[in-house]
């Protein structure tokens, strides 16, 4: 594997976290989003992350500075042509991702692997629509990527062994532990996690318990580090809804029906931590 430059497409909470992890592992990172202001927000997340590590004395100020210097922000899609490997972490929307993979295929060298951080969307479909199906693969980091050690690797039907080996090796260089999931909606982690979160939302919707009590019940009653509704806020309620919709559409089982209250929150723009308000309030929202 000869990879020195990694492009990260999407500078949201996952993209910025992945960019930080890759830069800390010594890679040059091209961080791309659709506008300078969105990229600036991603850089701010990275800055906060590095400052936190420095305060905890997990990295020195020199390491912080060299990590920062390895991140190259760009709003120019064509700049991504310089990448040796791409991680797509744009919003969870299939049409958007298909278009991104089609455009990445046009500009990236033919040997470059294009990985998606998607939580639920078919890698096989992204691959077949990209024009390089053997080089398209799922590389599913957990939230926050700077902290969580797992990377769920998802092979599409046509994904080649070389692409798989590249992602496994790269994940290890970033200090991650990998496992493999079949290309099925939600893969393993979200197939199990999201129905639980959705059920927690139903509990609030149906008046079974308050937001606080549902979370307290699951934290203390099933030993989870955080309650499912706080976790939904961390993931992003729009992302939770998108994952449930993919599972409902593709698996066709009513048990994946997103709770109407989840839809209502997303309609209201209550997207969780990233928008300042979800099941809980953050900042001054
Ligand atoms: P987010 O809303 O924080 O960020 C998404 C970013 O993608 C935004 O900054 C947006 O401007 C950008 N974007 C949209 N269209 C784009 C385009 N055409 N080109 C470049 N950038 C574009 O969302 P997120 O939580 O970071 O999720 C990103 C991806 O990671 C999704 O596929 C999601 O399912 C997946 N994921 C999320 C979590 C989580 O807990 N939030 C965990 C694992 C995986």
């Amino acid at each position: 594997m000869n990879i020195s430059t990694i492009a990260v497409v999407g500078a949201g909470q996952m993209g910025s976290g992945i960019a930080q992890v890759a830069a800390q592992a010594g890679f040059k990172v091209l961080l791309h989003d659709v506008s300078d202001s969105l990229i600036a927000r991603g850089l701010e997340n990275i800055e906060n992350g590095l400052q936190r590590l420095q305060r905890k004395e997990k990295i020195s100020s020199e390491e912080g500075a060299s990590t920062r210097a390895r991140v190259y922000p760009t709003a120019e899609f064509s700049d991504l042509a310089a990448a040796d490997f791409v991680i797509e972490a744009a919003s969870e929307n299939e049409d958007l991702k298909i278009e991104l993979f089609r455009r990445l295929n046009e500009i990236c060298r033919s040997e470059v692997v294009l990985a998606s951080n998607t939580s639920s969307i078919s890698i096989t479909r992204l691959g077949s629509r990209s024009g390089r199906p053997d080089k398209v693969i799922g590389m599913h980091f957990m939230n926050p990527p700077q902290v969580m050690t797992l990377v769920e690797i998802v092979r599409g039907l046509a994904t080649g062994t070389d692409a798989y080996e590249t992602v496994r090796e790269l994940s290890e260089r970033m200090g991650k532990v990998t496992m493999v999931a079949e290309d099925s909606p939600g893969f393993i982690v979200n197939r199990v996690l999201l129905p639980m979160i959705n059920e927690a939302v139903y509990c609030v919707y149906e008046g079974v318990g308050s937001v606080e009590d549902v979370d307290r019940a699951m934290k203390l009653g099933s030993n989870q580090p955080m309650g499912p509704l706080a976790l939904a806020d961390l993931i992003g309620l729009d992302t939770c809804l998108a994952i449930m919709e993919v599972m409902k559409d593709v698996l066709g089982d009513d048990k994946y029906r997103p709770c109407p209250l989840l839809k209502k929150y997303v309609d209201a723009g209550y997207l969780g931590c990233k928008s300042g308000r979800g099941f809980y309030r953050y900042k001054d929202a």
Side-chain angles (χ1 to χ4, degrees):
M1 184 177 61
N2 200 1
I3 291 172
S4 56
T5 302
I6 295 179
V8 178
V9 181
Q13 50 178 349
M14 291 305 291
S16 58
I18 294 166
Q20 180 187 326
V21 169
Q24 279 185 260
F27 296 98
K28 174 178 173 181
V29 177
L30 306 171
L31 181 60
H32 169 75
D33 208 305
V34 289
S35 73
D36 288 332
S37 60
L38 288 162
I39 295 171
R41 202 184 54 182
L43 291 175
E44 195 184 319
N45 286 344
I46 295 174
E47 186 55 35
N48 291 339
L50 293 175
Q51 298 274 354
R52 202 172 306 125
L53 289 175
Q54 280 176 221
R55 271 198 309 277
K56 291 183 176 171
E57 297 184 350
K58 293 201 169 158
I59 60 170
S60 65
S61 59
E62 291 76 20
E63 283 168 317
S66 59
T67 300
R68 222 172 271 126
R70 281 192 284 273
V71 180
Y72 295 77
T74 176
E76 276 305 321
F77 191 78
S78 57
D79 288 347
L80 308 183
D84 305 316
F85 182 89
V86 179
I87 305 174
E88 171 277 315
S91 315
E92 187 74 348
N93 174 301
E94 181 166 327
D95 291 344
L96 183 149
K97 288 187 193 284
I98 284 176
E99 178 60 9
L100 275 172
F101 275 79
R102 193 191 61 72
R103 291 171 66 204
L104 286 165
N105 181 51
E106 276 175 10
I107 64 164
C108 294
R109 295 191 314 281
S110 60
E111 71 273 20
V112 170
V113 171
L114 308 177
S116 177
N117 186 49
T118 179
S119 302
S120 60
I121 292 168
S122 164
I123 298 300
T124 302
R125 213 157 37 234
L126 291 180
S128 73
R129 302 289 293 276
S130 72
R132 63 173 79 182
D134 59 319
K135 301 271 186 313
V136 170
I137 189 163
M139 186 178 190
H140 184 212
F141 288 82
M142 305 297 128
N143 187 7
Q146 305 91 318
V147 176
M148 302 287 282
T149 49
L150 185 71
V151 168
E152 187 176 33
I153 303 180
V154 185
R155 291 179 74 156
L157 203 57
T159 305
T161 302
D162 286 356
Y164 167 72
E165 288 299 341
T166 302
V167 169
R168 199 181 50 77
E169 220 179 289
L170 209 53
S171 303
E172 283 170 11
R173 279 176 65 183
M174 294 186 200
K176 303 299 179 192
V177 175
T178 62
M179 38 70 57
V180 182
E182 282 301 312
D183 186 19
S184 175
F187 320 123
I188 295 175
V189 174
N190 285 323
R191 175 79 176 262
V192 177
L193 181 63
L194 261 295
M196 184 199 65
I197 288 177
N198 195 45
E199 207 56 38
V201 185
Y202 267 113
C203 282
V204 175
Y205 181 61
E206 293 173 4
V208 180
S210 66
V211 169
E212 291 76 13
D213 279 343
V214 168
D215 272 359
R216 190 173 301 126
M218 295 308 290
K219 268 173 73 177
L220 302 181
S222 68
N223 215 14
Q224 298 187 22
M226 69 197 297
L229 299 167
L231 180 56
D233 277 357
L234 178 70
I235 293 170
L237 301 190
D238 52 341
T239 302
C240 291
L241 178 60
I243 297 168
M244 287 308 294
E245 282 174 339
V246 169
M247 295 205 293
K248 170 81 177 65
D249 288 351
V250 183
L251 298 170
D253 193 320
D254 263 359
K255 70 182 177 184
Y256 301 115
R257 188 169 67 98
C259 179
L261 186 61
L262 181 60
K263 285 187 176 165
K264 199 180 250 184
Y265 271 53
V266 173
D267 286 344
Y270 300 169
L271 306 183
C273 305
K274 66 183 169 188
S275 73
R277 183 167 179 181
F279 290 105
Y280 297 90
R281 285 175 187 255
Y282 306 86
K283 301 182 237 160
D284 301 323

